[in-house]
Amino acid sequence: LWALASDEAALEAAVASLGMWGPAALIGINVAQILVAPIPGYVVQAAAGYLYGPLWGGIYGAIGLMIGAMLAMLLARLLGRPLVERMIGQERLDRWEKLTFSTSTAVWFLLLLTPTGDLPYFMAGLSHVSFTKIFLLTLLVRVPSSFVVAAAAAGALTLSGWQLALVFGVLGLLLLVFLRYQDRLVHAIDRRVEQQIPEREIS
């Protein structure tokens, strides 16, 4: 599965050979890349865009993303810390575990916005944050990227070399800033949210 999902050309050929079952296979592989790290999700989304165009490719990528995200959260909630520790590692779990004490919409929005991979879904499973909140935040924050990748793979969206470098540079800078100041950011956002939103809405 790793060899297939990490080779875009091989993946496209394999999915195309499945005919009408191709979309289901892409969705399944996209789910697997979340549950069985570290399969690169962008390869699956790019293959979907190339084979099915920017619209349906984006839809298939989004469906796989949403199913995988909810399953990761469900499994973590059912099986607990041992599963999450196995999936993301002891060190990362220790570093991020404090997030499980927050149900703040702003905190989880920020976590999903930064390039933290699939870690938020497993951490959400250990927390008391609701499935509905993570579902809606994923829909808002991460699903659009599936359509962007699909559109680029379908040739409907083209970026020059400097534009790609700029995008990745900005994402990298945001990640570094977040990792450096994550404690301050989380506490500041929590305080801000608690001041402006009734507690029943935060939880």
Side-chain angles (χ1 to χ4, degrees), residues 100-144:
T100 63
F101 297 103
S102 175
T103 59
S104 166
T105 299
V107 169
W108 288 99
F109 176 87
L110 180 62
L111 188 59
L112 287 166
L113 187 63
T114 57
T116 49
D118 304 319
L119 178 147
Y121 306 125
F122 291 102
M123 299 306 297
L126 296 181
S127 76
H128 294 290
V129 67
S130 70
F131 282 87
T132 300
K133 183 175 290 187
I134 296 301
F135 181 91
L136 293 175
L137 286 175
T138 302
L139 195 65
L140 174 67
V141 176
R142 293 202 166 180
V143 162

Side-chain angles (χ1 to χ4, degrees), residues 44-106:
V44 182
Q45 294 162 5
Y50 178 81
L51 290 170
Y52 302 107
L55 176 60
W56 285 105
I59 290 174
Y60 296 145
I63 291 173
L65 169 62
M66 297 304 299
I67 294 175
M70 293 298 98
L71 279 178
M73 186 175 173
L74 176 62
L75 289 173
R77 189 152 294 185
L78 291 175
L79 301 178
R81 183 185 175 92
L83 171 70
V84 178
E85 182 177 322
R86 183 177 182 85
M87 296 304 298
I88 70 175
Q90 175 71 51
E91 183 179 347
R92 293 184 79 194
L93 179 56
D94 290 342
R95 188 165 65 248
W96 291 90
E97 192 168 17
K98 58 178 138 331
L99 289 168
T100 63
F101 297 103
S102 175
T103 59
S104 166
T105 299

